[in-house]
Amino acid sequence: MSFVRPKTQPAPDNSTDWYAMIGAADEHDGDSVELLARAIRLIATSWPLLMVARAVLLCQAVGWHQIAHAMPHWEFITFLAALTVIDAAILIVPRIRGFSALSPNQQLIIAAPFVAIASALFTTSAAAILGENAFKLMVVTLTPALLAVAIFGRQRLLSIAYGIGGIIAFVSNIPIMDLLTPLIIFATGVCLVMAVEFRISRSATAHIRSTGLTGDQARAFLVDLEQTGRGWFWETDRVGNVAYLSDTLAAQLGRKPQDIVGQPFSALIAPPEPGAAGEGQRTLGFHFSARTAFAELAVQAAGAGEERWWSLSGQPVVTPFGQFLGFRGSGSDLTEMRRSQAEIARLAKFDSLTGLANRGQMLATLEQALTDQRGMPNECALFLLDLDRFKEVNDTMGHPAGDALLCQVAQRLLRLVGTSGKVGRLGGDEFKIVLPSMTDKGDLSKLADAIIHTLSQPYSIDGSQVIIGVSIGIAIAPGDGKTAETLIRNADLALYAAKADGRGLFRCYAPAMHADAEERRQLEQDLRHAMVSNGLHLEYQPVVCASTERVTGFEALIRWRHPTKGSISPADFIPIAEEAGLIGTIGEWVLRTACCDAVQWPEGTRVAVNVSPIQFANPALPSLVMRALANAGLSASRLELEITEGVFLADGSNTDTMFAALKNIGVRLALDDFGTGYSALGYLKTAPFDKIKIDQSFVRGAAIKGSRNAAIVKSIVSLAEALGMETTAEGAETLDELALIRSLGCSHVQGYVYGRPASAEATITLLQDREGYAKAEGHKASREQRMAMLRSVTLGHDGHAYPARIRNISRQGAMVEGLLDVPVGTVFEIDFGKNYIVSGTCRWSHEDRMGIEFAQAVEIERLRAPAEKERSAVTTDAIDYYRDKWKQAS
């Protein structure tokens, strides 16, 4: 038998390029090689028996006495020595450790000469002994050969050996007794070999059963594994064609196993796309070409319909002498795992809710925008956005509604920014916009105005209309910072400035903002200290019955007297408390303290406490109210909770449930700051309010001629009466305002006209001294509200124009400076700009200042916020500009 290196077969037409590198094996299956290997092993094992049989047969055939006389003594010794050496080589060489590592060709080259020489020596010596008796030579030579064939072929050739022995005896007419001894030795040898092999086989079988799986068990386990879908198995032949494939895998491919068997295994693997991650496919081709084992290679399946990935493991199948028979291995489905990995990778860069870039990716984008390809500082702008009133939406309507709102905000930002920059979400209601190479303040202002206007438009959330705002801080590199950290910090300072100035604005960074930020930080620390050191206190403003002037109750107002800065307005520290998350603790303290103070007042005198939307959204609010009432011993009917319209952002069951729980306690409910919110009137149909409080912005100036506030107040009073609710007019300061309120039918009044907020001790004194009644005090008539203003104007008189400045202004007049000793009665034409000219007369004059009375009432709104009106026009232009730009980019 000849053994040659297998020739490389050409790749099939439908194979991939990488498979062309795989060397295909020859078409022989290697069975003959396995038989040869078994024969060589059996020769080494059974040769001693053959040696004994050969010697006994020779002596029996010719007689023991003839051997000694047949050859010279020295020849006999030489014969025995040579035969012994050859036999020893046959016995020892196959047992050498390195022999088993040789290829079948090499083993055959080594073993065959020894066997041939031993046979030649034995035949030659037998011929010399027997002489002319060639027939006996054939018998003596054939009998050991038959014995060897029987041993090598095991039991299958036993009957053939007996049959050949009988034929030889019959044809040659050899007496049966001459062959009896060889046949007995022959049969004995075969029986010995069978006994030894049976014992070894039984011992091996017992060991396998005690330590491992049987074939049936292993097959059952493999079938179970395939059926569970956790894995599958495959096998190829020498040329790389599929020899076996699990039903599980065939089902994934939508085909039958028999349709796949015989096809190239490469047809199951998708070729790697250029530039794509196809290392698994390439590595698999290398292993097939090199015929080396591989484990857990990720490859993409071909022809599976949807994208599907496999993890393949395999190893070459070879005979004990290294003959390659193909590959055999296992596989499992990687599709879900790769999808999970892809999702994890996406979440590492993108916000899971809005799909915008997350904090990490935005930081990388900003760092990239700050440096050009040469490593030099680059120009870019950074916007930090914070949504106004989002927390109220989230607290009142719930987190799902808040998430939906954030998604709509993200979509609006993407449409506005377009390809000019990158939009990301930092978390919560904070967003970031990076604008590479965009530093013109005019363009940035247009974009900021467009964002503020667009995000302030109503949103539809679960059938309800929601309105929020946005504040923006802007920092521009490299002027405001050359590093990402510095630019983010300065943009954050600008954002805080926008919030402090009233929200719904944008501010660009200025160095002075560092001092403001430090002041806010210090104020927050001082507020925390005041909360634990009794630095906060309550003052109470009386609420008076409009018809009888009897004090029906007091509103609790929080105050803070700073040890060094003096009295700090709630308008300054309450927003800080909200940002720092302290408003809930402060609100609970106000509730407890107000109830303890009110229990000292006469029976029937109520106390009103403000409840923020954040407190109202707290499910524990009813229990907090009951605990405060119980600790103070105050009747529930004497506590009035003032709630703003912000709680009605969500028209849901949670709001109705909270109202019902509070009313079950027995407390009164008042709608505070009515008319200034951003909700609809529909909630008044179901909300169980006992009172509506008319905001002071409608009360102040209502008595001034030409004011429309009186009509608004009258409408609110009529609405409340129709719903069976009381009304309280806030902010009444003058007697004419009080008279108007009474004439319009308001049931209660609260304002400076009946007293300023006072301490708890002062309220007791007020109730005792006046026996529970209040007295109206203050100016008789309302004075036109004046507004501080520093505005340049032009005064025209007798054909001359004089520059001047306005210090404060009202609808009826203004204080003007810039002209010395103007005679009283001088008439001027005041040019405010924008083609707005009003005539006025000087009524008093002192040095460079004078008071001017306008001939007709001026439009305060037109004068007060010209910049805002201009900004509104700019906003419209900016929206159109960026909308057109976005359309072009699309």
Side-chain angles (χ1 to χ4, degrees), residues 142 195 223 366 385 505 661 698 707 759 784:
L142 180 61
V223 171
L366 178 59
L385 290 73
L505 305 169
F698 301 121
S707 173
S759 64
E784 182 74 32

Side-chain angles (χ1 to χ4, degrees), residues 85-405:
V85 171
I86 297 302
D87 290 342
I90 294 175
L91 293 174
I92 296 173
V93 170
R95 289 176 169 80
I96 298 175
R97 178 174 298 178
F99 185 82
S100 60
L102 299 177
S103 66
N105 287 334
Q106 294 170 336
Q107 292 185 13
L108 183 61
I109 291 173
I110 295 174
F114 286 104
V115 176
I117 293 173
S119 178
L121 286 176
F122 177 75
T123 305
T124 302
S125 60
I129 296 173
L130 297 177
E132 71 282 355
N133 196 353
F135 188 79
K136 286 188 176 182
L137 173 62
M138 182 188 68
V139 173
V140 174
T141 305
L142 180 61
T143 302
L146 290 176
L147 179 58
V149 170
I151 294 173
F152 298 159
R154 299 188 181 180
Q155 301 89 336
R156 292 178 297 178
L157 298 180
L158 182 60
S159 58
I160 298 177
Y162 275 110
I164 292 176
I167 293 173
I168 293 173
F170 177 77
V171 172
S172 60
N173 197 20
I174 299 176
I176 192 65
M177 293 304 297
D178 291 340
L179 292 176
L180 183 59
T181 301
L183 292 177
I184 292 175
I185 296 175
F186 167 71
T188 302
V190 171
C191 292
L192 289 175
V193 172
M194 293 175 59
V196 171
E197 289 187 353
F198 176 76
R199 184 181 183 91
I200 294 175
S201 176
R202 185 175 63 177
S203 176
T205 302
H207 177 73
I208 291 175
R209 289 179 177 177
S210 61
T211 60
L213 299 174
T214 64
D216 292 339
Q217 288 176 321
R219 189 177 298 106
F221 283 132
L222 292 178
V223 171
D224 292 342
L225 179 63
E226 290 181 342
Q227 291 180 350
T228 58
R230 296 181 179 179
W232 36 267
F233 301 95
W234 58 272
E235 186 178 26
T236 67
D237 57 17
R238 291 188 174 191
V239 296
N241 293 332
V242 178
Y244 171 79
L245 198 67
S246 296
D247 294 342
T248 304
L249 180 58
Q252 288 184 6
L253 299 175
R255 303 169 65 183
K256 296 180 180 179
Q258 55 269 27
D259 297 335
I260 301 176
V261 172
Q263 295 186 2
F265 189 80
S266 61
L268 304 180
I269 310 300
E273 297 180 2
E279 293 301 321
Q281 289 92 318
R282 297 186 182 93
T283 305
L284 181 64
F286 168 78
H287 284 291
F288 267 71
S289 177
R291 296 180 180 177
T292 55
F294 54 89
E296 298 182 355
L297 285 183
V299 298
Q300 186 176 358
E306 61 179 3
E307 181 178 336
R308 186 171 294 277
W309 288 83
W310 296 333
S311 174
L312 295 181
S313 299
Q315 58 183 0
V317 179
V318 296
T319 65
F321 298 100
Q323 186 73 8
F324 176 72
L325 302 180
F327 270 89
R328 181 183 299 133
S330 61
S332 59
D333 198 298
L334 283 181
T335 305
E336 291 301 325
M337 186 181 75
R338 288 186 69 93
R339 288 175 181 171
S340 300
Q341 291 175 345
E343 180 65 14
I344 293 173
R346 189 188 68 82
L347 293 178
K349 294 184 178 181
F350 295 93
D351 176 52
S352 59
L353 175 63
T354 62
L356 299 177
N358 62 7
R359 182 185 295 271
Q361 188 179 1
M362 290 302 295
L363 178 60
T365 301
L366 178 59
E367 291 175 345
Q368 184 179 3
L370 287 172
T371 308
D372 60 16
Q373 296 179 351
R374 298 171 297 175
M376 302 298 293
N378 203 9
E379 294 183 344
C380 74
L382 174 65
F383 281 27
L384 289 184
L385 290 73
D386 188 86
L387 302 182
D388 302 329
R389 298 189 298 273
F390 172 77
K391 186 171 179 58
E392 288 84 348
V393 177
N394 210 37
D395 292 338
T396 56
M397 298 184 67
H399 293 290
D403 292 345
L405 178 58

Side-chain angles (χ1 to χ4, degrees), residues 595 624-637 639 665 667:
C595 290
L624 294 177
V625 172
M626 289 190 294
R627 193 180 305 121
L629 293 171
N631 292 337
L634 184 70
S635 172
S637 61
L639 176 62
I665 297 174
V667 299

Side-chain angles (χ1 to χ4, degrees), residues 467-531:
I467 299 177
I468 60 172
V470 63
S471 301
I472 304 175
I474 304 175
I476 305 172
D480 297 338
K482 296 181 180 180
T483 65
E485 180 181 356
T486 304
L487 205 65
I488 292 173
R489 181 193 64 193
N490 293 339
D492 197 43
L493 291 176
L495 176 60
Y496 270 107
K499 291 181 179 179
D501 290 346
R503 300 176 181 268
L505 305 169
F506 75 87
R507 291 289 181 265
C508 294
Y509 167 76
M513 293 177 179
H514 282 284
D516 297 337
E518 178 60 26
E519 183 179 356
R520 284 195 304 270
R521 187 190 65 81
Q522 186 62 46
L523 200 62
E524 179 184 337
Q525 290 185 354
D526 294 345
L527 179 59
R528 292 181 183 273
H529 179 71
M531 291 173 59

Side-chain angles (χ1 to χ4, degrees), residues 18-33:
W18 60 264
Y19 190 80
M21 301 170 57
I22 302 177
D26 57 24
E27 298 178 356
H28 300 289
D29 59 5
D31 290 342
S32 57
V33 178

Side-chain angles (χ1 to χ4, degrees), residues 45 71 83 163 168 206 261 269 272 359 401 423 466 475 501 526 552 559 567 608 624 671 698 723 732 755 798 873:
T45 303
M71 60 176 61
L83 195 58
I168 293 173
V261 172
I269 310 300
R359 182 185 295 271
V423 182
V466 175
D501 290 346
D526 294 345
T552 60
R559 295 291 184 263
S567 180
L624 294 177
L671 178 59
F698 301 121
L723 297 174
D798 197 17

Side-chain angles (χ1 to χ4, degrees), residues 795-824:
L795 302 180
H797 174 71
D798 197 17
H800 298 279
Y802 305 96
R805 292 182 300 274
I806 290 181
R807 279 294 180 182
N808 57 58
I809 191 171
S810 68
R811 289 168 51 85
Q812 305 300 328
M815 185 181 72
V816 181
E817 65 179 16
L819 298 182
L820 290 171
D821 300 327
V822 176
V824 175

